[in-house]
């Protein structure tokens, strides 16, 4: 049978300026998740404002900031959910941390991560985070995390090819979601900035580094 889910009640304590959350008892511990968007899996990443909660209540001191918030309560039975990644671009061998819920803390091997279908090595897990290493053979694509509780994916990770570069100093994604990198090594690629096409693997120089 499907385990019951916590039923959330939200009230205001105008005396203290707090949002008061209370919920029906299921199987703890519980996590309290807050977002400014009712779609907890949309473009706005929610925040886990409380984890490991043993009792069925929580107070959030946000009433005085005049913002609109949405809440959800998750218990120990929640399926794997990924809310955010520590980076959206990286190099093979880089560590990436997923923030979310439903990870299996019993062992590292109880969790799996795939980058564009390639298995990644899980190196750390807590009740709200999962850390993995980008596989050497991986390419740009979706990150999928799974455990016995379920699977969640859809977060895009841009994996930047390193062939021909000698000393990569930084990797990032610009405002139009195009990955770029800077190389401070020797030779033809020294002190140059490149944009990277994840579909073709082609790098194009877009600038140079200004070093003192």
């Amino acid at each position: 049978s499907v385990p019951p889910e916590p039923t959330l009640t939200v009230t205001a304590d105008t005396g203290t300026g707090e949002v008061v959350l209370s919920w029906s008892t299921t199987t703890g511990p519980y996590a309290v998740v807050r977002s400014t968007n009712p779609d907890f899996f949309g473009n706005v990443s929610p925040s886990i404002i409380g984890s490991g909660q043993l009792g069925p209540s929580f107070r959030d001191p946000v009433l005085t900031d005049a913002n609109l918030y949405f809440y959800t309560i998750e218990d120990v039975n929640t399926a794997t959910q990924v809310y955010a990644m520590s980076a959206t671009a990286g190099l093979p061998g880089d560590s990436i941390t997923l923030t979310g819920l439903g990870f299996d803390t019993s062992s590292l091997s109880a969790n799996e991560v795939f980058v564009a279908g390639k298995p990644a090595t899980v190196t750390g897990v807590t009740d709200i985070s999962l850390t993995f290493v980008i596989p050497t053979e991986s390419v740009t694509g979706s990150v999928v995390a799974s455990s016995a509780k379920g699977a969640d994916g859809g977060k895009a990770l841009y994996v930047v090819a390193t062939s021909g570069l000698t000393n990569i100093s930084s990797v990032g994604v610009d405002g139009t979601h195009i990955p770029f990198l800077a190389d401070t090594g020797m030779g033809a690629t020294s002190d140059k900035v490149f944009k990277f096409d994840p579909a073709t693997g082609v790098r194009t120089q877009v600038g140079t580094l200004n070093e003192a």
Side-chain angles (χ1 to χ4, degrees):
S1 62
V2 178
E5 297 181 357
T7 300
L8 176 63
T9 300
V10 181
T11 58
D13 186 335
T14 55
T16 63
E18 296 173 311
V19 173
V20 181
L21 309 173
S22 58
W23 55 88
S24 58
T25 301
T26 55
T27 305
Y30 304 93
V32 183
V33 186
R34 183 184 70 200
S35 180
T36 56
N37 190 316
D39 181 3
F40 279 65
F41 296 96
N43 294 328
V44 178
S45 296
S47 299
I48 302 171
I49 59 174
S51 65
Q53 301 293 311
L54 300 179
S57 64
F58 186 86
R59 301 175 76 92
D60 188 17
V62 296
L63 278 182
T64 57
D65 68 6
N67 290 324
L68 180 64
Y69 291 105
F70 301 86
Y71 296 89
T72 184
I73 303 297
E74 304 291 352
D75 65 11
V76 74
N77 295 311
T78 188
T80 302
Q81 303 175 38
V82 176
Y83 295 138
M85 295 195 303
S86 59
T88 56
L91 306 171
D94 283 356
S95 288
I96 301 291
T97 297
L98 307 176
T99 300
L101 296 171
F103 305 126
D104 192 331
T105 58
S106 63
S107 68
L108 296 179
S109 61
N111 304 271
E112 293 183 313
V113 176
F114 297 88
V115 180
K118 302 294 184 180
T121 300
V122 176
T123 58
V125 61
T126 71
D127 58 339
I128 61 172
S129 68
L130 188 67
T131 301
F132 67 93
V133 176
I134 299 176
T136 302
E137 68 275 18
S138 65
V139 295
T140 292
S142 294
V143 174
V144 176
S146 68
S147 70
K149 297 180 179 182
D152 185 35
K155 300 292 185 183
L157 177 66
Y158 298 96
V159 180
V160 179
T162 60
S163 175
L165 303 178
T166 58
N167 190 14
I168 298 170
S169 60
S170 59
V171 177
V173 179
D174 68 15
T176 60
H177 307 291
I178 299 298
F180 64 90
L181 67 159
D183 183 53
T184 58
M186 303 298 292
T189 64
S190 175
D191 299 338
K192 293 180 173 61
V193 178
F194 302 88
K195 68 178 182 179
F196 175 77
D197 185 341
T200 64
V202 174
R203 290 191 301 269
T204 304
Q205 182 182 340
V206 294
T208 58
L209 298 175
N210 294 318
E211 297 185 341

